[in-house]
Amino acid sequence: MGRAFIFGDGINTDVLAPGSLMKLPPEELAQHCLEAIDPQFAKEVRPGDFVFAGRNFGQGSSREQAVVSLKLLGVSAVLATSFARIFYRNAMNLGLPAVKFDAVAEIKKGNEIDIDLVTGSLANRDTGKTYAIKPLPSHLMEMVEAGGLIPYLDQRLNARAF
Amino acid sequence: MAKPATIAQKIIARAAGVSFVTTGEIVTAKVDLAFAHDSSGPRRWAPQLERLGVGLWDPAKVAIVTDHYVPATDADSAAILKIAREFAATHDVKSFFDMVGICHLVLPERGLIRPGAFVAGGDSHSPTGGAFGAYVAGYGATDMIGIVATGETWLAVPETIRIELEGDLPNGVVAKDLMLMLCRELGMDNAFRAFEFAGSTVAAMEMHERMVLSNMATELGGEVGIIAPDDVTFAFLRERDAPVEDEDAARALASDPDALCEAVHRFDATALSPQVAAPHSPENTRDVGEFADVRIDQAYIGACVGAKLSDLHMVAQVLKGRQVASGVRLLIAPASLETMNRAASDGTLETLTDAGALIMPTGCGACAGMGAGVLADGETCISSTNRNFQGRMGHSGANVYLGSPYTTAATAVAGRIADPRTILEQI
């Protein structure tokens, strides 16, 4: 269970992880995540919370710090109408669920949300409404279940060696 | 009879070791070349490769280019560059290019982006190499670790969106204007699509201008931006002592006429005006004339998209015999050392400095906010770079407008956003 934070369309990697701050340690960089559009976000967000947004979430750079910052702040999933390609891949590779979700307009800031990725459902405790969410393709589910690409590779490369 | 296929499908099929791939199908492709830069590469790869207990799958197929933190401005960036140098030496990476330019330009200059190749790059503007008829997609650092450890990656075969550009561009209107217009017309939400650029406008372009189209396929959200190889491509590679062995085979990579595309968009290039993107997105694009009241503090010529030799020539054409407006700074970071050297020997650099421009080291510079030339709160900049997201080029309170090198130079002279055709008509 976590609370919803709501953002609009076209959230890009420069507002998720500003280039000029990229040399900061990841934990410090994360404190600036999304501050250009919501200066309170990093202070207010708590482990388990969710980020909801509109179209093309994560557009821009290949920098993974955009995903790492969200993870370090404890965001448990990003739900958006659509995702930019590299952000989507980065999220899967690092074990941050990026879930396509069309009814963002029905979620309000602070709503209490439950998500079950295995059965593919999202419940809004404040409205009592539930939504079906599409499960991940099997090859990605396998990787996310392993904990991301590196642990997945670890399994695969070890299996190859023995 | 082979099934009709797009150029993207043909390249993926070969890389996946099959005769045909269907769009939407998830395949594993073998990578012909993997590259990254100092920010995305070795400093992220080294600890994870060690953890996995593996080296590079094939050092001969890995290229590393330092371009983001060059030259080092503090101890942290110096340390990042040192890691890249030591990694290249330790892992026997022969294609290591240190402070000679931006990866997306340096690799084609060295003849390393080959028609028909499947290439993985550790930077979002990797699609630039698609101008050479290659499938070049961008990946994050962890994806790249998987690729340099195994030599392969998964992908869902993308639908192709074909952009047909027809007719001669008017004087003062260039590839950058076309791409800003496309960002407005098509939007930037086109993930997991292959863009393909074709038509008489593209056929008439030299390689540097074609690279602008492929580079900014990234802004459209595309996975790649491919242009079928032709005589212009082959001539560029011959000049780099990297001739294409079988030119007929390379020509046959072109999409079959009856190949299925998700969409085909045709545009008349003859009617286009110079375009400018307002803060904070490339899709906020309108005709240059709508911004005549915007005063600027800085004009910036830089990045993989906007500081190639052809771009510096455009800037010099506008600046020759003119001066940068009082109170305005014009910064120019040539995209590669080759660009810098050629611009020095053909007199271009002199024209730029005579006009009051400041020439900066080659590299990514201020484009991604990591190098010199970033902006303060409240400042306004016009830039030949590819994106103007909030906070990208320094302070989040700065405003960045995007224009072609022509428009950026004309604006530097006027001190406010200006239509370059006014100056070019006088030449």
Side-chain angles (χ1 to χ4, degrees):
Chain A
M1 214 265 301
R3 300 166 306 157
F5 285 79
I6 315 288
F7 294 91
D9 292 337
I11 299 299
N12 63 68
T13 50
D14 287 297
V15 297
L16 288 161
S20 53
L21 306 176
M22 207 62 85
K23 281 177 293 194
L24 291 176
E27 294 74 15
E28 287 177 38
L29 179 62
Q31 294 306 314
H32 300 277
C33 184
L34 291 162
E35 76 177 356
I37 46 179
D38 179 0
Q40 296 307 311
F41 173 70
K43 297 181 188 77
E44 289 178 2
V45 70
R46 292 198 302 254
D49 287 345
F50 299 98
V51 165
F52 287 81
R55 290 157 56 89
N56 208 16
F57 189 92
Q59 66 173 333
S61 167
S62 62
R63 64 184 71 152
E64 282 186 344
Q65 291 89 335
V67 174
V68 172
S69 293
L70 290 168
K71 278 197 63 146
L72 285 172
L73 292 173
V75 171
S76 59
V78 180
L79 301 101
T81 320
S82 61
F83 289 93
R85 171 185 157 272
I86 300 179
F87 180 90
Y88 185 81
R89 289 188 68 118
N90 287 347
M92 295 301 154
N93 286 333
L94 296 174
L96 173 72
V99 181
K100 188 171 155 42
F101 184 70
D102 289 326
V104 176
E106 294 180 26
I107 312 290
K108 300 288 171 260
K109 188 179 178 192
N111 280 174
E112 305 273 356
I113 306 291
D114 281 315
I115 288 183
D116 189 328
L117 286 175
V118 179
T119 59
S121 74
L122 181 152
N124 185 340
R125 286 197 189 179
D126 288 304
T127 62
K129 213 167 164 183
T130 60
Y131 306 82
I133 52 178
K134 204 174 158 187
L136 293 177
S138 59
H139 74 291
L140 287 181
M141 200 62 186
E142 211 179 312
M143 192 172 75
V144 171
E145 276 174 355
L149 179 63
I150 297 294
Y152 177 66
L153 277 175
D154 208 357
Q155 287 173 9
R156 261 189 62 200
L157 292 169
N158 277 330
R160 192 185 287 172
F162 293 105
Chain B
M1 190 68 188
K3 284 188 211 172
T6 63
I7 185 166
Q9 284 173 294
K10 290 181 190 185
I11 296 173
I12 293 167
R14 189 206 41 83
V18 297
S19 59
F20 182 81
V21 291
T22 310
T23 55
E25 180 185 353
I26 290 167
V27 299
T28 300
K30 289 202 182 308
V31 169
D32 297 300
L33 175 74
F35 71 92
H37 49 66
D38 47 323
S39 183
S40 69
R43 71 167 165 148
R44 306 289 311 282
W45 300 354
Q48 298 296 354
L49 290 177
E50 198 170 321
R51 173 181 163 187
L52 291 169
V54 296
L56 299 174
W57 105 98
D58 185 350
K61 292 182 177 174
V62 175
I64 296 167
V65 183
T66 62
D67 58 14
H68 272 59
Y69 288 111
V70 298
T73 52
D74 56 22
D76 289 335
S77 47
I80 290 168
L81 293 168
K82 189 170 176 227
I83 291 171
R85 290 170 190 135
E86 289 177 354
F87 183 94
T90 313
H91 291 265
D92 204 24
V93 176
K94 298 281 191 287
S95 292
F96 174 56
F97 305 109
D98 194 12
M99 307 209 303
V100 296
I102 305 172
C103 55
H104 308 303
L105 187 57
V106 169
L107 299 182
E109 282 176 355
R110 308 291 163 132
L112 288 172
I113 304 291
R114 313 293 298 167
F118 187 97
V119 181
D123 187 86
S124 66
H125 286 106
S126 299
T128 313
F132 293 83
Y135 195 99
V136 196
Y139 297 85
T142 300
D143 244 342
M144 287 305 299
I145 291 160
I147 290 166
V148 298
T150 65
E152 57 188 43
T153 188
W154 69 270
L155 73 156
V157 179
E159 295 277 3
T160 288
I161 298 178
R162 188 173 159 94
I163 310 291
E164 296 184 350
L165 304 165
E166 298 294 347
D168 295 335
L169 284 164
N171 190 26
V173 181
V174 290
K176 178 64 172 291
D177 299 300
L178 282 167
M179 288 313 297
L180 290 175
M181 178 272 288
L182 287 175
C183 286
R184 176 187 66 219
E185 295 298 317
L186 304 179
M188 298 169 67
D189 186 14
N190 297 291
F192 297 96
R193 305 306 201 292
F195 280 89
E196 179 176 330
F197 300 99
S200 62
T201 317
V202 181
M205 283 179 184
E206 49 92 25
M207 290 310 298
H208 282 166
E209 279 288 273
R210 293 182 184 187
M211 287 165 75
V212 173
L213 304 181
S214 295
N215 177 289
M216 287 189 64
T218 303
E219 272 54 56
L220 297 175
E223 176 154 326
V224 290
I226 314 186
I227 298 168
D230 63 8
D231 289 341
V232 177
T233 325
F234 305 144
F236 183 100
L237 291 169
R238 260 199 306 276
E239 199 199 326
R240 264 86 187 158
D241 289 328
V244 173
E245 274 177 32
D246 189 342
E247 294 184 358
D248 288 339
R251 270 191 201 89
L253 287 167
S255 292
D256 298 319
D258 45 355
L260 283 179
C261 292
E262 183 182 46
V264 179
H265 299 285
R266 292 190 181 83
F267 294 93
D268 175 12
T270 66
L272 192 65
S273 307
Q275 302 290 301
V276 168
H280 298 288
S281 172
E283 67 187 352
N284 290 343
T285 290
R286 301 195 297 275
D287 283 2
V288 63
E290 296 187 36
F291 298 98
D293 57 346
V294 177
R295 287 191 165 277
I296 58 144
D297 302 293
Q298 175 169 309
Y300 185 80
I301 298 288
C304 44
V305 76
K308 305 177 279 13
L309 190 63
S310 57
D311 303 315
L312 301 196
H313 285 164
M314 290 179 212
V315 176
Q317 215 182 322
V318 170
L319 292 186
K320 195 167 179 63
R322 292 180 178 77
Q323 284 296 310
V324 172
S326 167
V328 169
R329 48 190 194 264
L330 171 60
L331 308 183
I332 301 180
S336 72
L337 207 55
E338 180 186 309
T339 306
M340 184 93 81
N341 290 338
R342 289 192 180 198
S345 52
D346 72 8
T348 301
L349 284 191
E350 196 179 356
T351 304
L352 303 179
T353 52
D354 279 352
L358 177 66
I359 307 297
M360 310 220 296
T362 183
C364 300
C367 175
M370 298 178 192
V374 296
L375 302 161
D377 190 11
E379 287 192 320
T380 300
C381 177
I382 186 160
S383 177
S384 71
T385 55
N386 34 34
R387 37 175 99 114
N388 57 344
F389 295 143
Q390 190 173 6
R392 177 171 177 80
M393 196 187 274
H395 200 281
S396 64
N399 285 313
V400 179
Y401 292 78
L402 302 177
S404 75
Y406 275 139
T407 303
T408 304
T411 300
V413 169
R416 54 176 68 217
I417 291 182
D419 187 335
R421 292 174 299 188
T422 315
I423 286 179
L424 293 170
E425 276 163 12
Q426 299 164 14
I427 296 171

